[in-house]
């Protein structure tokens, strides 16, 4: 039986660390602040935004909320970002995705000052990540690394197989594992004999978006499994990309879904807000 990696506990630990550091900054007269922008009324996005605001409250980070109507033009959104870029009291800017179809997401993400890009999606920060110098790292991938390290698993020299190569999860996870001295293979839908490649893994990260895709015959005994997948099943329950019930019998460490990677994303966002605030105040 595998040891369960408790994302809820680890994410709370991280938020508690942020809280202490945010309080220390406040003693110096600096209040970390995150601006959250939501355009339109996507119910899932509304929940994410609410959770982000709650996390800010928990950590002692000020949150500015911009809930704009569906009819907001691209220019209006870009002007708001310009205003927030220029505001020294706002340290992080988060634009909740997806945006309505008439707004070009790439243009919007490029507009955010890289120093305030707490999602870590700006090409400048992606570039820093690829040369191992990122301070603002994409939240979900950075959360995967924290889960591994805080479980006491040493990444150095390990064979790490990432299944999925999206820009928001698979690729950055691969780059972060490499920065931790893992030997990384990033796989995708065109990979030949994926099960054999996966069986090589000491550490396996699944970011595919297909329920129970990673089965027990695709892993070796003693593997550490990080399941990024969030799939909503017909019965309303959430399910990961890993066949948890069977893979757990072979793994040494495994994340559940829910309660694994999920809660880490917001915790790492809070950490990025703090880092952005410190950077803008020449504290790092
Ligand atoms: P994408 O759909 O953007 O990428 C999926 C990747 O999986 C692609 O690279 C694709 O390969 C690969 N893939 C698909 N089918 C196969 C296959 N048969 N064999 C091997 N590889 C395959 O998804 P995301 O990266 O955005 O998300 C992945 C999962 O993580 C989703 O379930 C999502 O909900 C979840 N997620 C969770 C987050 C969190 O916990 N906070 C945050 C973000 C995502 P190819 O490139 O060749 O098409």
């Amino acid at each position: 039986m595998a040891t369960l990696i408790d994302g809820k506990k680890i994410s709370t630990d991280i938020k508690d660390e942020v809280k202490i550091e945010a309080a220390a900054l406040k003693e110096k007269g600096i209040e970390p602040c995150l601006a959250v922008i939501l355009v339109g009324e996507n119910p899932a996005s509304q929940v994410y935004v609410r959770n982000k605001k709650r996390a800010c409250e928990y950590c002692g980070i000020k949150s500015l909320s911009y809930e704009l109507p569906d009819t907001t033009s691209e220019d209006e959104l870009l002007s708001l970002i310009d205003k927030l870029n220029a505001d020294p009291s706002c340290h992080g800017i988060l634009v909740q995705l997806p945006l309505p179809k008439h707004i070009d997401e790439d243009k919007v993400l490029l507009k955010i000052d890289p120093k305030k890009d707490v999602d870590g999606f700006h090409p400048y920060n992606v570039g820093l990540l690829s040369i191992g110098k990122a301070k603002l790292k994409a939240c979900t991938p950075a959360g995967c690394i924290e889960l591994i390290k805080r479980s006491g698993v040493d990444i150095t020299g390990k064979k790490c197989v990432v299944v999925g190569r999206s820009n928001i999860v698979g690729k950055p996870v691969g780059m972060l594992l490499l920065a931790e001295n893992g030997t990384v293979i990033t796989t995708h839908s065109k990979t030949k004999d994926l099960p054999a490649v996966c069986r090589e893994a000491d550490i396996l990260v699944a970011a595919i978006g297909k329920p129970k895709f990673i089965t027990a015959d695709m892993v070796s005994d003693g593997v550490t499994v990080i399941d990024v997948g969030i799939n909503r099943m017909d019965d309303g329950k959430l399910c990961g990309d890993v066949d948890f019930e069977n893979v757990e019998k072979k793994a040494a460490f495994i994340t559940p879904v829910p309660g694994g990677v999920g809660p880490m994303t917001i915790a790492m966002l809070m950490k990025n807000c703090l880092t952005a605030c410190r950077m803008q105040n020449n504290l790092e």
Side-chain angles (χ1 to χ4, degrees):
M1 274 300 197
T3 300
L4 221 58
I5 300 179
D6 186 346
K8 263 195 197 158
K9 174 170 188 312
I10 295 175
S11 64
T12 304
D13 290 348
I14 290 170
K15 283 189 284 180
D16 285 339
E17 290 161 19
V18 171
K19 194 178 191 169
I20 292 168
E21 286 192 53
L25 283 175
K26 270 190 212 153
E27 296 223 327
K28 292 190 175 129
I30 301 166
E31 185 175 31
C33 170
L34 170 69
V36 181
I37 306 174
L38 173 65
V39 186
E41 283 168 14
N42 179 329
S45 294
Q46 285 171 330
V47 173
Y48 293 140
V49 163
R50 200 160 52 235
N51 290 341
K52 285 167 188 172
K53 283 195 254 176
R54 259 191 218 140
C56 281
E57 226 167 273
Y58 181 89
C59 294
I61 291 174
K62 182 177 169 187
S63 70
L64 302 172
S65 181
Y66 296 88
E67 300 194 5
L68 312 175
D70 240 332
T71 50
T72 305
S73 71
E74 189 176 280
D75 279 348
E76 283 169 322
L77 179 56
L78 294 175
S79 306
L80 172 59
I81 294 171
D82 262 340
K83 195 185 98 184
L84 293 167
N85 279 341
D87 178 354
S89 70
C90 164
H91 308 105
I93 303 171
L94 183 142
V95 179
Q96 185 64 48
L97 301 178
L99 287 167
K101 285 199 172 56
H102 64 278
I103 300 180
D104 181 344
E105 274 182 14
D106 288 341
K107 230 181 186 179
V108 169
L109 296 181
L110 271 174
K111 191 72 171 171
I112 297 172
D113 181 341
K115 291 194 295 294
K116 300 192 177 189
D117 167 40
V118 285
D119 256 337
F121 290 160
H122 193 291
Y124 177 82
N125 286 319
V126 176
L128 286 179
L129 193 72
S130 76
I131 59 170
K133 291 190 174 168
K135 288 191 173 161
L136 299 177
K137 302 169 189 163
C139 300
T140 303
C144 294
I145 303 299
E146 288 291 330
L147 288 175
I148 299 168
K149 288 170 75 170
R150 289 181 188 236
S151 301
V153 175
D154 187 9
I155 299 169
T156 301
K158 298 278 169 62
K159 276 194 193 160
C160 307
V161 175
V162 182
V163 189
R165 58 171 162 181
S166 72
N167 290 332
I168 61 163
V169 191
K171 272 186 213 154
V173 166
M175 290 195 274
L176 289 171
L177 287 165
L178 188 61
E180 296 289 338
N181 298 315
T183 301
V184 182
I185 303 176
T186 301
T187 66
H188 45 79
S189 66
K190 308 286 187 293
T191 297
K192 281 193 184 143
D193 200 356
L194 183 67
V197 179
C198 290
R199 279 193 293 273
E200 294 267 305
D202 300 308
I203 297 170
L204 182 87
V205 181
I208 310 152
K210 294 190 173 162
K212 300 188 184 182
F213 182 87
I214 303 291
T215 48
D217 63 311
M218 293 172 76
V219 300
S220 292
D221 287 329
V223 65
T224 294
V225 179
I226 305 295
D227 187 353
V228 185
I230 302 178
N231 306 290
R232 177 82 58 190
M233 306 306 278
D234 290 341
D235 60 6
K237 285 191 183 146
L238 290 183
C239 166
D241 288 346
V242 175
D243 177 7
F244 180 86
E245 208 183 317
N246 294 306
V247 170
E248 186 211 14
K249 292 174 188 148
K250 292 177 87 175
F253 294 90
I254 189 166
T255 59
V257 176
V261 176
M264 293 300 290
T265 302
I266 288 188
M268 299 314 288
L269 173 69
M270 295 299 108
K271 203 167 172 187
N272 273 350
C273 288
L274 197 81
T275 304
C277 176
R278 292 177 57 84
M279 275 161 52
Q280 285 158 60
N281 286 281
N282 302 317
L283 295 169
E284 58 180 272

